[in-house]
Amino acid sequence: MQSTREVENEIIKVSRSATLRFMNDLAGKRIVLGLTGGIACFKAAELCRSLVKEGAEVQVVMTEAAAQFITPVTMQALSGQPVFTSQWDAREGNNMAHINLSRNADAILIAPASADFMAKLIHGKADELLSLMCLARPLQTVPLILAPAMNREMWAHPATQRNVAQLRADGTHVLGVGQGEQACGETGDGRMLEAEEIVEELHAFWTPKVLQGQHVLITAGPTYEAIDPVRGITNLSSGKMGFAIARAARYAGAQVSLISGPVSLPTPRGVDRVDVRSALQMHDAVQMAAPLASIFIAAAAVADWRPANAAGQKIKKDGSGETPELSFVENPDILATVAHSERAQNGKLFCVGFAAESHDLLMHATAKRVRKGVPLLVGNIGPSAFGQDDNALLLVDAKGVKELPRDTKTKLAQDLVLEIAKRIGNIEVKKT
Ligand code: C5P
């Protein structure tokens, strides 16, 4: 049995550079990337690069029309594999590229998927390599994922919408489309999603839906308490941990609402975000959202105090050397308020708190869990977590302590989501 100090030291001491395992969420995934004709083919180059960077093995297959927009040479260079464009390609020993290419694949991803190609798919047409391969794929083991791309009128056309509905009914995973300026000069729906959005969709696709049916409310980032219109006090927090949890919860199938203090982070795909500045604003936003949530995760570094009287105008330095007198009032404890609400007390809202400490982590986290009245408290050593892409967590609940050793915040967020899913009974926990 380790002492408190030993557990803490272990978390701190693990050298970041030596042990940090950077997440390659698509490592080992074999993806057949199909390109069909459309100007969005230029985005497929970036997509291919991102997939390879994430550790996936990418086999590119292109239609003749796609090769008009981007060359197989480019796609070969980016994927590191020879590209297939023809069903008559003699490089395959048995001359059956349409069978061989899909048999070991974890997914066929068509990006861009043109209107014409989708129309072909619903009819089971197979007159060139890519459609032939889609038809010949083992339905149960090789999912087909489409990232449509087309002009807004083509996308809105009843024929296309009928085809999308039919493809979904056939078990195809059709991603949404982006909105905005199109290559034709028109503006509207139909742009292919950006490479990083498609990669996010793939992560979500392969994540077990352990939070299906849950509505997760998360606070993240610091709060900012104004002294006057140009000055204020705040806490050290990049928001990275809270945003990673929001993303992981979304991947796990939850509806996610994120209430964020001032941070410079992009909103995770599919997450509802409300931006606030002060603790009072965060408190009000949480009060509005909490009645709809089933899980509340307070990852924000909320300022404990705010200036009692924020000045309406900039406090001027008059050269006399006198300093302004500042007095403070305590901010409401958002987490404790929610944790003591009727829904939380009746088990309808599972609350998770965070503790960022500089020392005696286990002792402070244990005491804080009781004081805040939450079933789960996540402790971390603040100075070794602030602004970093990695962290180490200590989970404290009524049963004891569990350590999540140093890893990326992305991976820790996924592990935390699993731990929460176990505690709310959303996944079965095997008895050992
Ligand atoms: O009391 P302390 O700030 O250390 O507690 C940290 C936990 O409480 C975090 O989960 C934080 O988001 C939450 N908290 C809060 N409202 C406050 C202060 C902290 O929700 N005013």
Side-chain angles (χ1 to χ4, degrees):
M1 179 79 183
Q2 282 178 304
S3 71
T4 307
R5 178 60 71 192
E6 281 168 342
V7 172
E8 285 172 15
N9 283 347
E10 205 135 293
I11 293 177
I12 302 165
K13 90 175 175 220
V14 181
S15 141
R16 199 165 292 143
S17 54
T19 61
L20 182 58
R21 192 163 45 84
F22 277 100
M23 278 287 293
N24 269 327
D25 261 355
L26 297 180
K29 290 276 187 255
R30 285 166 301 216
I31 299 172
V32 176
L33 175 60
L35 277 65
T36 68
I39 188 62
C41 277
F42 82 93
K43 291 190 194 174
E46 187 62 43
L47 173 61
C48 180
R49 208 164 158 264
S50 304
L51 295 174
V52 170
K53 245 169 126 177
E54 291 255 346
E57 210 179 281
V58 182
Q59 171 61 65
V60 176
V61 177
M62 297 169 70
T63 63
E64 202 184 315
Q68 295 290 323
F69 290 91
I70 188 167
T71 69
V73 174
T74 301
M75 297 309 293
Q76 176 170 354
L78 293 171
S79 64
Q81 313 249 35
V83 170
F84 282 80
T85 55
S86 163
Q87 73 206 79
W88 312 120
D89 195 317
R91 281 174 294 177
E92 290 293 300
N94 59 359
N95 219 314
M96 292 190 195
H98 65 292
I99 302 289
N100 305 346
L101 294 179
S102 77
R103 285 302 177 265
N104 288 324
D106 291 295
I108 299 175
L109 166 65
I110 311 285
S114 66
D116 177 61
F117 193 75
M118 294 199 295
K120 281 173 76 173
L121 284 178
I122 67 154
H123 291 293
K125 291 192 84 172
D127 56 357
E128 43 70 47
L129 178 58
L130 193 56
S131 52
L132 180 59
M133 190 185 67
C134 290
L135 191 67
R137 83 186 201 280
L139 265 184
Q140 302 307 322
T141 54
V142 184
L144 177 60
I145 304 169
L146 306 184
M150 65 200 73
N151 163 270
R152 67 188 174 112
E153 300 291 1
M154 291 167 77
W155 175 250
H157 197 285
T160 304
Q161 290 305 311
R162 241 186 352 254
N163 292 346
V164 168
Q166 186 58 54
L167 282 163
R168 288 189 171 136
D170 290 346
T172 304
H173 192 73
V174 185
L175 303 180
V177 290
Q179 205 260 344
E181 245 178 65
Q182 304 200 307
C184 52
E186 296 179 4
T187 303
D189 288 341
R191 287 167 57 102
M192 187 170 90
L193 297 180
E194 300 303 322
E196 75 258 27
E197 292 176 312
I198 295 176
V199 171
E200 281 215 43
E201 291 282 355
L202 290 181
H203 288 315
F205 182 79
W206 275 306
T207 302
K209 299 291 173 268
V210 298
L211 289 186
Q212 194 71 54
Q214 300 296 321
H215 185 157
V216 183
L217 173 63
I218 301 169
T219 63
T223 66
Y224 175 91
E225 313 298 326
I227 293 172
D228 68 17
V230 297
R231 305 182 183 94
I233 58 166
T234 188
N235 282 350
L236 275 178
S237 169
S238 62
K240 285 180 182 172
M241 192 70 232
F243 275 60
I245 298 168
R247 184 175 281 112
R250 178 74 193 131
Y251 289 174
Q255 184 184 339
V256 181
S257 304
L258 176 64
I259 298 177
S260 174
V263 296
S264 50
L265 293 174
T267 309
R269 192 165 163 70
V271 166
D272 258 349
R273 170 173 173 179
V274 174
D275 285 327
V276 295
R277 201 157 88 129
S278 67
L280 286 181
Q281 289 171 349
M282 186 173 275
H283 173 267
D284 292 350
V286 168
Q287 289 299 315
M288 290 264 289
L292 297 173
S294 54
I295 297 170
F296 175 50
I297 305 172
V302 184
D304 289 320
W305 309 281
R306 66 181 181 278
N309 298 300
Q313 292 188 331
K314 183 179 176 188
I315 303 169
K316 301 300 289 179
K317 184 169 66 176
D318 61 10
S320 68
E322 273 190 38
T323 54
E325 289 275 313
L326 287 181
S327 58
F328 293 90
V329 287
E330 196 170 311
N331 276 322
D333 191 315
I334 303 166
L335 174 60
T337 311
V338 174
H340 287 96
S341 68
E342 206 182 308
R343 292 189 67 243
Q345 295 292 316
N346 292 340
K348 294 194 173 123
L349 178 61
F350 184 83
C351 293
V352 182
F354 267 75
E357 307 292 344
S358 59
H359 60 285
D360 292 331
L361 179 58
L362 183 56
M363 187 183 79
H364 287 304
T366 306
K368 199 162 282 182
R369 190 186 81 79
V370 176
R371 186 153 42 82
K372 302 262 178 183
V374 293
L376 180 61
L377 201 294
V378 183
N380 60 161
I381 295 290
S384 67
F386 295 143
Q388 309 286 338
D389 289 324
D390 62 303
N391 198 358
L393 303 178
L394 202 61
L395 309 192
V396 182
D397 66 9
K399 291 195 188 132
V401 182
K402 177 165 185 177
E403 187 190 334
L404 299 184
R406 186 161 284 283
D407 213 319
T408 61
K409 288 182 177 174
T410 305
K411 174 69 169 62
L412 290 171
Q414 290 167 349
D415 290 347
L416 180 60
V417 158
L418 270 180
E419 292 292 334
I420 293 170
K422 277 185 213 161
R423 284 168 174 79
I424 61 169
N426 244 40
I427 49 175
E428 238 178 82
V429 184
K430 279 199 195 111
K431 296 224 162 44
T432 46

